[in-house]
Amino acid sequence: MEEILVLTEARLRTALGEPDARAAVTFLGTDRYEVLRFRDTEGGSGVVRYATLGMSGRPMTDPSALVTDAESGPRAELVLSLRAGAADTDQVLRPLAVLAASPQVEGVIVAPGNSLDLGAPLWPGAPFSSVLVGEPGGLVADLELAAPLEPVRFLPLLPMTPNEAAWKRVRGARELEERWLTHGTDLRDPLRRSVTLD
């Protein structure tokens, strides 16, 4: 497990640069989870990225399976990208650790198209309490591990307003993503309003 986390952090550093802050959270009966903060100082985009570290140490397993394998199963870490300075987004560190712990605590398999709901704002005053899990492979490439281990995938998180989350439950992730695209929604805006929904 420790070796996988070392490789995972190295992949994050290769893709995002050096983290300028990190926080660790341990929940009762679980492993330690860290959240690393990366600021885009070279690109000048004003984007801050938060990435979990610890979720990939164990594979996610189906809670209904009668027999589980300690090695096989999908592995992932979560990445959230936001525009810096408009809100106190650094308060998202603990909520992200909660989401990263959900496979171990609740037996959830986190995969693209899933909704993850915190039941509280992602940070104080945030208009979002849930996220849509996006497709991996864009910002941070998958980390291949020695067989039979599955690769570590870096899953982007897309904040959803309560209206968007409700609409997604009825219409599905693909239609919500198409709606965002059609309206040119800036998903990195920590203060954005809900996209226009039919």
Side-chain angles (χ1 to χ4, degrees):
M1 175 179 163
E2 195 61 38
E3 181 183 352
I4 291 172
L5 296 182
V6 168
L7 294 171
T8 299
E9 182 171 354
R11 176 56 55 92
L12 285 168
R13 288 171 181 267
T14 298
L16 305 177
E18 288 298 313
D20 69 343
R22 64 195 306 149
V25 179
T26 304
F27 303 101
L28 185 63
T30 70
D31 297 324
R32 171 186 161 114
Y33 296 89
E34 291 189 86
V35 178
L36 284 60
R37 185 181 69 192
F38 300 86
R39 292 194 184 275
D40 183 5
T41 54
E42 293 181 10
S45 65
V47 171
V48 60
R49 305 186 198 282
Y50 303 94
T52 64
L53 181 63
M55 185 176 170
S56 60
R58 298 179 189 271
M60 294 180 277
T61 56
D62 184 346
S64 64
L66 296 176
V67 179
T68 58
D69 186 334
E71 291 190 344
S72 65
R75 295 174 187 265
E77 295 291 354
L78 309 174
V79 181
L80 175 66
S81 299
L82 297 166
R83 297 215 178 277
D88 187 13
T89 57
D90 280 352
Q91 298 297 316
V92 78
L93 300 179
R94 185 173 176 79
L96 277 182
V98 169
L99 296 180
S102 61
Q104 193 175 351
V105 173
E106 301 173 23
V108 174
I109 295 181
V110 179
N114 288 167
S115 298
L116 301 175
D117 194 340
L118 283 160
L122 287 176
W123 57 86
F128 320 104
S129 59
S130 62
V131 294
L132 175 66
V133 181
E135 293 289 337
L139 187 62
V140 184
D142 293 351
L143 171 64
E144 297 293 334
L145 300 174
L149 303 182
E150 293 190 31
V152 176
R153 293 191 164 87
F154 299 87
L155 303 172
L157 299 181
L158 311 172
M160 293 188 292
T161 66
N163 285 345
E164 291 168 342
W167 201 81
K168 182 263 178 187
R169 281 193 295 275
V170 175
R171 305 290 287 269
R174 183 177 296 276
E175 287 202 32
L176 177 58
E177 289 174 321
E178 287 175 1
R179 183 57 56 103
W180 282 335
L181 188 60
T182 299
H183 289 271
T185 305
D186 181 2
L187 297 174
R188 296 174 179 173
D189 181 356
L191 302 176
R192 75 173 181 84
R193 298 184 179 185
S194 181
V195 71
T196 302
L197 303 169
D198 293 335

